[in-house]
């Protein structure tokens, strides 16, 4: 049995201690690994899908609503306050404890609403999952109040000094809770299979603004020396979609139900870049049904944000690296918007089938791009995605190339991040589209979103819907398409529909002409190329291209100084492989000034392939690490085997 600690010396009842120890042991040592394809997902006593990344037992006692009260302290780099959980018990579970996930939290007090102290206990810490918090509430009680503080190193939170922001005058805080980091912000049942509503009061230093991925009520209200902002999330969401930012933040409307939040020096540029957002919402509604979240706003964060975007409902968090000045990188917004249907509305039940979020979303993203910008752009993005998938799969363990039940036993879900759930999942839907046609597939997906709205679902449930609806009356069709192999097998089936792009054929032809000496770099017809054409052109160059020709391209088109992050990333990666020394200072600048993991991991990986490159990588990383969000830093720690 796992040892139990009861804070304050209170001895928990024997039944409570046994239940908590059992739950903690289950999460820390979750058993037999991925299920067989023909076995149903493991369930708990009330039929809820078992999540190996949560200590909670929501099938017995499940949280349903949170009332959050937070005070933001930049000096201490902590959030202090409370969360009041409303919960419900399954029949027969009246004597079971409420079990929550925590990581790095200081639990100060646990009471009933009337202030009566409640027995509670913390299990020993699991290195990836944190600590189970068990609370024994008396029969008939369905609300508990937990007062606590976060730690300065909370994995979901990044605290920025004024110098690390665009404006340079005020500090900044933002959260990133996916996949299992919400437990570092508040005690919760931190599983995508558990959905909650919430209300929040957030107190911040006067002169700063708080925003959350929720309905924002008018404010702020004075609260002593602080300002208080009020929020409500009326639709049930998983804990990983709770999101907060505090800083020098202003707002600009860009459509009747959309707008942009950003620092003052960024707001106009961001509003112009994302002007097509309302058109994207309209296009998606036409295909997949109504937008159900009232507003779709975008928060442009400081450059240390570890992802391109995060689909927090009502308020997408976005990296400033997509502000290219030509709207060429707004596929990111199409992707995060698509999550309003796939991921936020209908969510993967566990992280072992992440494709249920991302594969659907990539498919929707490219349909949105085609509707708003045309087929050429959508095709180019699809080809780049195909190329990225093949690159990733060459370097992956076979078990990580499956869609359903990726082997995450004993692992943080972020450690298995790859393009497989995104691109392989999307290719499966493209295969279905080719088989039944767009009109029929769109109708099927719309019904899937409608009937499963605000719920979490498994691969098996989606497969059952395929067989019962999309292939009704034709039971042999799934076998002919090898649906089982796609959903439950590893690798990429050889009936995968490879995307094509005529525009890329032309880019390849120009690359060949340059390499053959038929055209000098300055004569290449690239002035009006899109971001995607530049990406493919650079990828078409050999990795051992000599410095003379690399220099000619750089001199003609200033690639080492490109303001487009995607083009610069491809060029820097090629420069490392080719040993093109003039790109090294821009490479160092790029690695220090932004923290997007998509760029950091490949560039540090390329540097680390040689001894000299590894020394350079470590030198840069020692200076840059404190600027990165923990999600990015943890990844690069592993790439460089960094111990401090």
């Amino acid at each position: 049995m796992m040892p139990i600690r009861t804070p304050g010396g209170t001895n928990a009842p024997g039944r409570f201690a046994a239940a908590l120890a059992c739950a903690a042991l289950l999460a820390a040592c979750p058993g037999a690994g991925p299920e067989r394809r023909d076995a149903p997902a493991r369930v708990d006593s009330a039929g809820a899908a078992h999540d190996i990344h949560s200590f909670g037992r929501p099938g017995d006692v499940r949280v349903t609503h949170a009332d959050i009260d937070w005070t933001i302290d930049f000096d201490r780099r902590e959030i202090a306050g409370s969360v009041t959980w409303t919960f419900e018990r399954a029949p027969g579970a009246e004597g079971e404890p409420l079990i929550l996930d925590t990581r790095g939290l200081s639990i100060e007090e646990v009471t009933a609403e009337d202030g009566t102290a409640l027995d509670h206990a913390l299990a020993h810490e699991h290195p990836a999952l944190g600590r189970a918090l068990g609370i024994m509430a008396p029969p008939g009680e369905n609300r508990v109040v937990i007062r606590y503080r976060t730690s300065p190193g909370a994995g979901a939170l990044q605290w920025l000094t004024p110098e690390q922001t665009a404006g340079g005058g005020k500090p900044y805080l933002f959260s990133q809770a996916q996949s299992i980091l919400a437990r570092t912000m508040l005690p919760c049942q931190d599983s995508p299979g558990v959905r909650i509503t919430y209300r929040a009061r957030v107190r911040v230093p006067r002169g700063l603004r708080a925003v959350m991925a929720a309905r924002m009520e008018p404010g702020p209200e004075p609260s002593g020396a602080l300002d208080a902002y009020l929020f409500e999330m009326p639709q049930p969401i998983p804990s990983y979609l709770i999101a907060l930012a505090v800083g020098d933040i202003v707002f600009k409307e860009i459509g009747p139900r959309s707008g942009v939040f950003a620092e003052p020096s960024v707001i106009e540029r961001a509003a112009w870049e994302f002007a097509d957002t309302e058109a994207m919402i309209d296009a998606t509604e036409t295909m997949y049904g109504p937008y159900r979240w009232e507003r779709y706003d975008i928060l442009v964060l400081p450059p240390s944000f570890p992802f391109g975007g995060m689909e927090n409902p009502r308020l997408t968090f976005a990296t400033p690296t997509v502000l290219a000045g030509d709207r060429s990188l707004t596929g990111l917004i199409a992707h995060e918007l698509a999550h309003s249907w796939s991921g936020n509305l209908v969510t993967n039940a566990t992280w072992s089938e992440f494709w249920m979020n991302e594969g659907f979303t990539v498919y929707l993203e490219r349909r949105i791009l085609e509707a708003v910008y045309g087929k050429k752009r959508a095709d180019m993005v699809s080809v780049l995605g195909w190329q990225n998938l093949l690159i990733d799969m060459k370097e992956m363990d076979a078990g990580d190339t499956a869609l359903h039940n990726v082997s995450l036993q004993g692992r943080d879900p972020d450690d298995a991040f790859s393009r497989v759930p995104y691109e392989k999942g999307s290719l499966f839907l493209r295969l279905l589209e080719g088989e039944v046609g767009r009109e029929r597939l769109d109708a099927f997906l719309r019904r899937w979103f409608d009937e499963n709205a605000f719920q979490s679902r498994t691969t098996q449930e989606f497969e059952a819907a395929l067989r019962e609806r999309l292939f009704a009356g034709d039971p042999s069709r799934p076998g002919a398409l090898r649906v089982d192999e796609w959903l439950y097998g590893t690798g990429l089936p050889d009936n995968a529909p490879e995307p094509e792009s005529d525009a890329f054929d032309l880019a390849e032809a120009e690359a060949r002409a340059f390499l053959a000496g038929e055209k000098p770099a300055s004569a290449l017809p690239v002035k009006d190329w899109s971001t995607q054409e530049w990406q493919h052109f650079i990828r078409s160059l050999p990795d051992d291209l000599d410095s003379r020709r690399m220099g000619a391209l750089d001199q003609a088109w200033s690639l080492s100084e490109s303001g487009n992050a995607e083009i610069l990333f491809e060029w820097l990666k090629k420069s490392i492989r080719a040993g093109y020394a003039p790109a090294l200072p821009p490479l160092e600048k790029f690695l220090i000034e932004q923290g997007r993991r998509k760029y950091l991991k490949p560039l540090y990986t390329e540097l680390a392939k040689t001894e000299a490159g590894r020394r350079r990588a470590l030198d840069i990383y020692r200076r840059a690490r404190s600027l990165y969000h923990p999600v990015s830093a943890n990844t690069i720690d592993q790439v460089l085997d960094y111990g401090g």
Side-chain angles (χ1 to χ4, degrees):
M1 297 283 282
M2 186 169 288
I4 300 297
R5 183 178 69 83
T6 304
T10 303
N11 291 320
R15 182 175 180 185
F16 166 55
L20 178 58
C22 183
L25 188 63
L26 174 65
C29 307
E35 298 102 2
R36 301 187 318 274
R37 174 266 172 272
D38 58 349
R42 283 195 295 156
V43 297
D44 61 24
S45 60
H50 174 65
D51 184 349
I52 63 173
H53 292 106
S54 174
F55 296 105
R57 300 289 292 176
D60 296 326
V61 184
R62 175 183 293 262
V63 294
T64 59
H65 177 82
D67 288 293
I68 298 167
D69 193 308
W70 281 341
T71 298
I72 310 302
D73 189 329
F74 279 91
D75 293 333
R76 297 171 63 95
R77 295 197 165 199
E78 71 176 21
I79 298 176
S82 67
V83 58
T84 301
W85 281 112
T86 302
F87 59 91
E88 58 186 27
R89 296 180 173 93
E94 289 78 8
E96 297 298 324
L98 168 63
I99 301 179
L100 304 173
D101 298 300
T102 78
R103 184 175 171 186
L105 301 179
S106 297
I107 306 299
E108 298 179 337
E109 186 179 37
V110 181
T111 68
E113 278 198 289
D114 64 5
T116 303
L118 298 178
D119 282 330
H120 60 284
L122 283 165
H124 279 297
E125 187 166 8
H126 181 280
L129 305 183
R131 309 179 74 180
L133 169 65
I135 301 169
M136 205 66 183
E141 183 70 55
N142 72 338
R143 300 257 292 173
V144 298
V145 182
I146 306 167
R147 292 178 176 82
Y148 70 97
R149 295 176 181 270
T150 63
S151 68
L157 304 175
Q158 185 161 26
W159 303 85
L160 301 176
T161 64
E163 295 76 21
Q164 293 172 297
T165 67
K170 297 179 180 180
Y172 204 107
L173 164 68
F174 68 86
S175 69
Q176 172 55 42
Q178 192 183 51
S179 301
I180 57 171
L181 295 176
R183 66 192 70 185
T184 70
M185 291 196 296
L186 76 169
C188 59
Q189 290 182 335
D190 198 7
S191 168
V194 177
R195 306 179 77 98
I196 62 156
T197 56
Y198 71 84
R199 288 183 59 84
R201 178 187 298 270
V202 181
R203 297 176 178 86
V204 303
R206 193 149 291 157
L208 298 180
R209 180 174 186 172
V211 295
M212 290 191 77
R215 180 185 294 155
M216 304 185 196
E217 298 186 3
E221 298 178 351
S223 181
L226 305 174
D227 282 337
Y229 290 85
L230 303 178
F231 306 93
E232 181 182 17
M233 173 51 73
Q235 295 95 347
I237 61 166
S239 56
Y240 76 88
L241 294 176
I242 299 173
L244 166 73
V246 180
D248 186 10
I249 299 170
V250 295
F251 177 75
K252 186 177 180 66
E253 199 87 25
I254 58 176
R257 51 184 167 171
S258 57
V260 175
F261 291 91
E263 293 184 71
S265 63
V266 177
I267 190 69
E268 293 299 332
R269 192 158 52 107
W272 184 89
E273 200 81 29
F274 301 140
D276 295 330
T277 298
E278 202 73 35
M280 292 182 182
I281 300 173
D282 292 341
T284 318
E285 286 187 315
T286 298
M287 293 182 284
Y288 302 115
Y291 180 78
R292 302 170 191 246
W293 303 91
E294 296 179 23
R295 289 194 58 84
Y296 181 79
D297 295 321
I298 303 161
L299 171 65
V300 180
L301 288 164
S304 60
F305 185 55
F307 300 126
M310 180 61 207
E311 64 271 16
N312 303 310
R314 297 171 176 260
L315 186 63
T316 281
F317 282 17
T319 171
T321 61
V322 300
L323 302 180
D326 60 1
R327 298 178 183 153
S328 64
L329 301 182
T330 52
L332 173 86
I333 301 304
H335 182 92
E336 306 309 335
L337 170 65
H339 270 302
S340 301
W341 286 260
S342 53
N344 296 0
L345 190 64
V346 185
T347 309
N348 48 234
T350 71
W351 293 115
S352 296
E353 45 197 351
F354 189 39
W355 86 277
M356 292 284 291
N357 278 17
E358 296 297 351
F360 283 68
T361 295
V362 169
Y363 178 79
L364 267 63
E365 165 207 327
R366 288 164 192 170
R367 293 292 304 281
I368 297 168
L369 289 178
E370 182 174 334
V372 176
Y373 296 111
K375 190 172 186 299
K376 175 183 175 182
R377 179 156 164 186
D379 286 347
M380 289 191 294
V381 171
S382 295
V383 171
L384 291 171
W386 170 271
Q387 294 171 352
N388 291 336
L389 174 64
L390 298 184
I391 291 169
D392 272 14
M393 293 184 77
K394 286 179 182 178
E395 302 172 355
M396 294 172 61
D397 294 335
D400 287 345
T401 65
L403 292 181
H404 174 72
N405 268 336
V406 177
S407 179
L408 294 179
Q409 200 83 359
R411 302 165 73 188
D412 187 313
D414 281 342
D415 292 344
F417 177 85
S418 78
R419 295 181 177 95
V420 168
Y422 295 75
E423 298 295 341
K424 182 179 176 182
S426 174
L427 288 170
F428 175 60
L429 294 178
R430 284 179 64 116
L431 179 73
L432 297 179
E433 177 193 312
E435 181 71 10
V436 304
R438 276 192 173 182
E439 183 177 354
R440 190 171 169 192
L441 181 63
D442 283 351
F444 168 77
L445 291 176
R446 178 166 182 165
R447 183 175 178 182
W448 171 259
F449 296 139
D450 286 344
E451 293 184 349
N452 297 286
F454 303 110
Q455 299 181 69
S456 301
R457 291 290 177 251
T458 66
T459 301
Q460 290 100 329
E461 289 171 311
F462 178 69
E463 182 196 5
L466 278 180
R467 295 179 182 275
E468 294 167 8
R469 293 176 181 168
L470 195 63
F471 298 131
D474 191 356
S476 65
R477 224 162 172 191
L481 287 177
R482 292 153 54 189
V483 167
D484 284 3
E485 182 180 349
W486 274 94
L487 295 180
Y488 306 105
T490 59
L492 188 63
D494 60 17
N495 65 339
E498 181 177 354
E500 298 177 348
S501 168
D502 292 341
F504 283 173
D505 293 339
L506 296 174
E508 289 178 19
E510 295 299 336
R512 288 193 297 270
F514 169 70
L515 294 171
E518 298 169 3
K519 284 186 180 180
S522 58
L524 293 171
V526 299
K527 183 178 179 181
D528 296 322
W529 270 6
S530 66
T531 297
Q532 292 76 28
E533 286 165 298
W534 268 114
Q535 288 176 280
H536 190 73
F537 174 83
I538 295 170
R539 291 184 183 189
S540 298
L541 301 173
D543 288 344
D544 59 353
L545 189 63
D546 60 86
S547 292
R548 178 185 62 81
R549 286 186 288 185
M550 290 285 289
L553 287 168
D554 205 1
Q555 184 176 3
W557 303 108
S558 301
L559 294 174
S560 292
E561 305 300 327
S562 176
N564 184 306
E566 292 289 340
I567 296 173
L568 181 59
F569 166 68
E570 293 290 349
W571 177 251
L572 294 175
K573 187 166 58 172
K574 187 68 67 175
S575 296
I576 298 171
R577 292 172 177 171
Y580 178 58
L584 292 177
L587 169 66
E588 180 175 324
K589 183 174 183 285
F590 188 66
L591 290 174
I592 289 175
E593 291 186 350
Q594 60 79 39
R596 189 174 175 184
R597 186 173 65 171
K598 171 186 173 180
Y599 301 144
L600 299 181
K601 183 179 179 181
L603 292 175
Y604 278 112
T605 299
E606 288 297 330
L607 282 171
K609 288 180 179 178
T610 67
E611 187 56 37
R614 178 176 172 77
R615 288 195 299 271
R616 181 180 293 274
L618 286 169
D619 176 65
I620 296 170
Y621 189 50
R622 289 187 186 102
R623 287 178 284 142
R625 189 179 187 277
S626 64
L627 309 177
Y628 297 161
H629 187 277
V631 167
S632 291
N634 291 340
T635 297
I636 308 307
D637 284 351
Q638 295 176 46
V639 169
L640 298 179
D641 193 22
Y642 183 78

